[in-house]
Amino acid sequence: MKKATVGAVVVGTAAAVAVAALVMRHRMGKSSKWARARAILKEFEEKCATPDAKLKQVADAMTVEMHAGLASEGGSKLKMLISYVDNLPTGDEAGVFYALDLGGTNFRVLRVQLGGKDGGIMHQEFAEASIPPNLMVGTSEALFDYIAAELAKFVDEEGEKFHPPPGKQRELGFTFSFPIMQTSINSGTLIRWTKGFSIDDTVGKDVVAELTKAMQKREIDMRVSALVNDTVGTLAGGRFTDKDVSIAVILGTGTNAAYVERAQAIPKWHGPLPNSGEMVINMEWGNFRSSHLPLTQYDNAMDTDSLNPGEQIFEKICSGMYLGEILRRVLLRMAKEAGIFGEEVPPKLKNSFILRTPEMSAMHHDTSSDLRVVGDKLKDILEISNTSLKTRRLVVELCNIVATRGARLAAAGILGIIKKMGKDTPRESGPEKIVVAMDGGLYEHYTEYSKCLENTLVELLGKEMATSIVFKHANDGSGIGAALLAASNSVYVEDK
């Protein structure tokens, strides 16, 4: 009997030891996996680091590339396109002006009434229409005829108070957000279509001439006064309300910058010097690249998988199209190597661009004690349920690393422009005011990003210059900005 009892005790003890060992191994496994996740995060954080010294190197590299791009066509990764805008709005413009904004599958027609000195924008109205898919791959004539028909409808429905006086044509600013080679303030030839358009017979043609032909056919008495890029339009919109605006930056799905340059500082400009002595330059800064940019394995892999490998590198680490995708790639590695979402890698996490930047922003801004928003987003988008608070905190840390790097690099880019303009050091008379017109959904809605960008630029400029920098949200450069450029480049400007 005693032997049986002793045997049972021994067996029971052995079983308990085995269970304890299993529990211990499981815990050790979990802690080693968690250590792996933290190691991946630490490595990523180190590779994304943007100390002030590095940002100043990026700014200097931006300035060097700007000089090269202004010296000759193709001399730099920055195109530094001459916009032919040498007359920006002053705020004194008066009258009724129109804008046509063709940026993708939708287009808008706007009417803006300006009240002259101190009058500002008195009235604005717009209509929106989508372009039927068949016209995106049809003929040039069919596309512009459709646009002109919508424009005619908009003009026909307007009240008599908007009719121009006898002998005067209506004037239009045309925002055409496709690659063009601009040849004057109101002419430019299409280099290539993007965004799903493929109309061969428009390539190499002047898009203003195509629109004018279609308007004449519809008997619309209107002339295109300005062919506009949306970033240049943002600069115009900012200048209309503040004469100190000299730089515009768009941070949205993509990113770009424009600024006011001295005409004499543009070696590749061979035309007569404008009366204003100034010229707006559309930088196309999304294509900037430098050995000083802190690129990671995730950025390089995303670039390789993209439709334009090796191009738009700056855009791929700063803009809204890509931030969520960088986050997804880091999470995928953590899921594979550290099992942060369980034994299986969540299938949805393998889908490129499934995690958009607005969702990343919502997670980054989650202030609830249990990070409920993070949990909900992971469940709704990636079908990952029951995440621990520890895992959610890890996700927020990653959001912060990705957004901080992007915002600080964008700030360094702006510093590069300020340096090129010679406004980065105080004058004897005191610091010169620098107003930057900002637009784009990323800047407008991702508060942590925009706050970080603004603080970084102030930090980089130093205490003495800190009070001179002002950020101004200038909304709708592609619409109102285009109408304002039609006004400042009006053929009737002398009559007003």
Side-chain angles (χ1 to χ4, degrees):
M1 190 69 183
K2 274 183 184 174
K3 276 185 184 174
T5 307
V6 170
V9 169
V10 169
V11 170
T13 306
V17 168
V19 168
L22 270 172
V23 168
M24 196 68 176
R25 203 174 305 135
H26 182 65
R27 277 188 189 153
M28 281 173 70
K30 277 188 95 170
S31 74
S32 71
K33 280 188 169 180
W34 185 250
R36 181 74 194 119
R38 295 300 309 177
I40 292 170
L41 179 129
K42 190 171 185 299
E43 179 201 26
F44 182 57
E45 188 171 31
E46 284 168 2
K47 294 271 195 215
C48 287
T50 51
D52 287 2
K54 183 178 268 294
L55 293 180
K56 285 175 180 171
Q57 289 175 320
V58 170
D60 288 341
M62 180 71 80
T63 307
V64 167
E65 288 298 318
M66 289 172 75
H67 277 283
L70 290 172
S72 62
E73 293 300 343
S76 162
K77 276 280 186 186
L78 296 180
K79 287 197 171 69
M80 302 299 284
L81 300 172
I82 293 167
S83 70
Y84 291 85
V85 172
D86 55 9
N87 279 320
L88 281 163
T90 59
D92 296 342
E93 290 78 11
V96 175
F97 297 91
Y98 297 79
L100 174 63
D101 175 16
L102 178 62
T105 51
N106 289 352
F107 72 94
R108 293 181 302 154
V109 184
L110 294 89
R111 178 176 51 250
V112 177
Q113 187 174 17
L114 305 174
K117 197 169 181 61
D118 304 324
I121 296 169
M122 297 167 68
H123 174 90
Q124 55 177 294
E125 204 175 317
F126 76 92
E128 200 162 3
S130 51
I131 293 170
N134 62 307
L135 292 183
M136 292 169 68
V137 292
T139 64
S140 191
E141 187 180 356
L143 174 69
F144 284 99
D145 189 53
Y146 177 75
I147 292 168
E150 292 296 323
L151 188 55
K153 205 188 298 178
F154 185 72
V155 168
D156 288 346
E157 288 167 2
E158 71 184 12
E160 208 167 303
K161 66 175 180 174
F162 297 121
H163 291 185
K168 283 194 176 178
Q169 279 184 300
R170 292 177 173 88
E171 293 186 289
L172 173 93
F174 181 20
T175 299
F176 187 77
S177 299
F178 298 91
I180 54 164
M181 178 55 73
Q182 195 132 355
T183 46
S184 75
I185 183 64
N186 61 353
S187 63
T189 56
L190 176 68
I191 296 168
R192 66 180 180 279
W193 286 106
T194 55
K195 305 173 194 178
F197 283 77
S198 181
I199 306 168
D200 291 343
D201 67 341
T202 322
V203 177
K205 285 186 180 169
D206 179 359
V207 292
V208 172
E210 293 294 290
L211 177 62
T212 303
K213 204 161 58 181
M215 289 194 299
Q216 286 168 346
K217 193 170 146 190
R218 294 269 170 186
E219 297 183 350
I220 308 167
D221 195 19
M222 190 180 279
R223 72 179 292 275
V224 177
S225 298
L227 178 61
V228 182
N229 162 280
D230 58 353
T231 317
V232 175
T234 299
L235 184 55
R239 178 66 73 93
F240 181 71
T241 54
D242 188 334
K243 64 178 176 36
D244 289 318
V245 168
S246 53
I247 300 170
V249 175
I250 290 184
L251 283 158
T253 307
T255 182
N256 193 14
Y259 74 106
V260 180
E261 181 59 275
R262 290 175 303 108
Q264 285 178 315
I266 312 170
K268 70 180 178 183
W269 169 255
H270 302 301
L273 286 178
N275 294 335
S276 66
E278 296 179 334
M279 178 66 74
V280 175
I281 298 293
N282 165 21
M283 290 176 62
E284 294 293 340
W285 84 349
N287 206 35
F288 169 69
R289 78 173 304 165
S290 157
S291 59
H292 299 298
L293 291 176
L295 297 173
T296 68
Q297 65 187 74
Y298 312 99
D299 303 303
N300 295 330
M302 180 177 72
D303 177 49
T304 304
D305 295 345
S306 71
L307 295 170
N308 53 348
E311 299 293 317
Q312 302 296 106
I313 299 298
F314 194 58
E315 181 168 87
K316 284 172 183 168
I317 48 179
C318 292
S319 80
M321 173 90 182
Y322 302 99
L323 300 184
E325 173 61 7
I326 297 164
L327 173 65
R328 181 196 70 83
R329 285 173 180 262
V330 186
L331 288 173
L332 180 61
R333 184 177 171 206
M334 285 183 169
K336 284 176 177 174
E337 294 182 21
I340 60 165
F341 300 123
E343 292 303 312
E344 297 294 316
V345 174
K348 286 271 174 99
L349 191 56
K350 296 173 184 173
N351 297 351
S352 294
F353 291 95
I354 192 170
L355 194 55
R356 294 164 55 250
T357 303
E359 275 80 45
M360 171 179 152
S361 169
M363 293 192 291
H364 195 174
H365 291 122
D366 187 359
T367 53
S368 61
S369 58
D370 60 349
L371 296 177
R372 193 178 307 119
V373 176
V374 178
D376 290 346
K377 291 291 178 192
L378 293 173
K379 187 169 182 288
D380 297 346
I381 301 154
L382 301 170
E383 294 176 1
I384 302 167
S385 303
N386 307 321
T387 46
S388 67
L389 184 56
K390 198 159 70 163
T391 302
R392 293 177 192 185
R393 284 192 184 125
L394 186 78
V395 172
V396 175
E397 276 187 79
L398 287 172
C399 291
N400 189 53
I401 293 166
V402 174
T404 299
R405 179 186 64 165
R408 284 176 66 81
L409 288 170
I414 299 171
L415 177 62
I417 301 172
I418 294 170
K419 278 172 170 276
K420 173 68 185 75
M421 296 171 83
K423 293 184 177 185
D424 57 318
T425 49
R427 304 270 164 100
E428 279 178 24
S429 55
E432 195 176 345
K433 195 175 170 198
I434 307 157
V435 185
V436 185
M438 304 290 298
D439 197 13
L442 180 64
Y443 176 81
E444 195 178 347
H445 303 300
Y446 201 146
T447 315
E448 286 292 334
Y449 184 103
S450 45
K451 216 163 56 182
C452 177
L453 184 155
E454 291 174 12
N455 293 340
T456 302
L457 188 56
V458 167
E459 190 184 298
L460 291 171
L461 281 167
K463 207 175 286 181
E464 224 181 328
M465 291 292 294
T467 52
S468 65
I469 187 87
V470 178
F471 290 91
K472 185 174 189 140
H473 185 218
N475 207 0
D476 196 17
S478 57
I480 292 166
L484 292 170
L485 282 166
S488 61
N489 291 279
S490 166
V491 288
Y492 309 114
V493 80
E494 299 304 322
D495 306 348
K496 292 186 176 136

